[in-house]
Amino acid sequence: MSDFDGSFGAIISNLFKDNGTKAAYLPCVLASALIFSYTSADLVLNQTDLVDYVKTEKTWNIVFENNVVDDNGDNLTFEFDDIWADGDVKVIDFFLDDISVDDGHFVGYIDVKVIPEECNGRTGSEGRCENGIWISDGGEWECDSISATLLGDNSTLTGQWFDSGNTLSGSDSDCEPIYLRIVTYPNYNLHQSFNQTAVNEYQALSPWTVEGWGDGVVSVQINLDVNTYGGFGPADDSEEITILVSVHQFNPTASLVSEQ
């Protein structure tokens, strides 16, 4: 009888040395091999199904929560008012570094409202407009001519300067507000919700989670031309103008609608 050296070969040799041992261990070995084969095949099939599922295009509903970046509850981001003399051209800058966009939010667009002091101007203005004439108990004045322009490019304010949804300039001589807008986030069109195809939630949201849009300075140029009216009332040689800026932010979420 040879000495047992503890090697794997010696162990196997001793296990199957006699017929009784073979009869006891052989079914166990075969059963283990069968179970291993079944488990391996099932694992491969499950892995294949998982890969196919991951690669499958799905329809996701993208929902946007929209609100104004507002620190004091007035639904405005910036407010500015000043007096323009006849012929004045002023550029007013609003620095977006001074505001805090909420976590998980992105700047979608920026609205600017330019308000003359007559009729639709400051709170407490009294009177009425008729055919471009401001009429009040104190007299009659012709509405002044105001023009407003959003100045800049992507070097001063990162946005979609050529977007069809923009209103970069406007004018008025009827004592009405002027409304301007610049879309800052690519392809953002005041969305409430829409469907998008992607293989997973991360990819569905990836177009709407890009940092860097809506950074910089909002520059508003205001030109004033005081109109002289031949009616009664004090001479008009200036205009108090108010500028309101609303920075609109959005937070996107995705929910699975269906699988292709």
Side-chain angles (χ1 to χ4, degrees):
M1 180 177 180
S2 60
D3 294 335
F4 177 70
D5 60 8
S7 65
F8 180 76
I11 294 173
I12 297 300
S13 177
N14 284 334
L15 285 175
F16 294 98
K17 188 172 183 180
D18 56 63
N19 292 333
T21 303
K22 292 178 182 179
Y25 282 98
L26 187 57
C28 294
V29 172
L30 293 175
S32 297
L34 180 62
I35 293 172
F36 177 78
S37 299
Y38 176 81
T39 303
S40 298
D42 187 57
L43 181 62
V44 170
L45 290 174
N46 287 338
Q47 182 72 14
T48 301
D49 291 342
L50 178 61
V51 170
D52 290 341
Y53 177 79
V54 170
K55 290 182 177 180
T56 300
E57 293 282 334
K58 306 170 187 67
T59 300
W60 301 84
N61 184 240
I62 312 298
V63 177
F64 297 89
E65 175 193 347
N66 304 282
N67 54 67
V68 174
V69 179
D70 172 17
D71 292 333
N72 57 14
D74 61 0
N75 208 36
L76 293 172
T77 309
F78 300 103
E79 181 175 1
F80 176 87
D81 61 79
D82 198 4
I83 295 176
W84 271 251
D86 183 24
D88 271 356
V89 178
K90 296 183 182 181
V91 177
I92 310 301
D93 291 331
F94 301 92
F95 295 90
L96 298 179
D97 288 345
D98 294 339
I99 67 173
S100 297
V101 177
D102 294 341
D103 290 341
H105 288 67
F106 305 87
V107 178
Y109 63 100
I110 299 171
D111 279 340
V112 176
K113 183 178 181 180
V114 179
I115 310 174
E117 64 180 302
E118 302 98 343
C119 295
N120 295 295
R122 299 178 62 82
T123 301
S125 293
E126 297 180 357
R128 68 185 188 279
C129 286
E130 293 183 3
N131 300 319
I133 305 300
W134 178 35
I135 302 173
S136 72
D137 292 340
E140 299 178 2
W141 293 265
E142 185 175 2
C143 293
D144 296 331
S145 296
I146 301 173
S147 63
T149 304
L150 284 173
L151 301 178
D153 53 30
N154 276 328
S155 67
T156 57
L157 173 63
T158 53
Q160 312 310 306
W161 286 92
F162 300 100
D163 193 281
S164 60
N166 290 342
T167 303
L168 300 181
S169 63
S171 61
D172 177 77
S173 57
D174 294 318
C175 298
E176 295 289 338
I178 300 170
Y179 297 92
L180 307 178
R181 171 174 292 171
I182 179 167
V183 177
T184 52
Y185 202 93
N187 301 315
Y188 187 78
N189 295 306
L190 315 187
H191 293 301
Q192 295 299 320
S193 67
F194 75 102
N195 288 343
Q196 183 163 306
T197 301
V199 297
N200 55 44
E201 181 181 2
Y202 176 81
Q203 288 192 8
L205 288 175
S206 60
W208 306 106
T209 55
V210 179
E211 301 280 355
W213 295 110
D215 290 342
V217 181
V218 179
S219 297
V220 185
Q221 177 178 291
I222 305 292
N223 299 48
L224 175 67
D225 180 15
V226 173
N227 294 320
T228 302
Y229 173 60
F232 66 95
D236 184 14
D237 60 359
S238 64
E239 178 88 10
E240 185 170 6
I241 298 174
T242 301
I243 304 173
L244 307 179
V245 179
S246 300
V247 177
H248 294 259
Q249 62 181 356
F250 68 87
N251 177 38
T253 57
S255 57
L256 182 62
V257 176
S258 63
E259 300 177 13
Q260 300 294 331

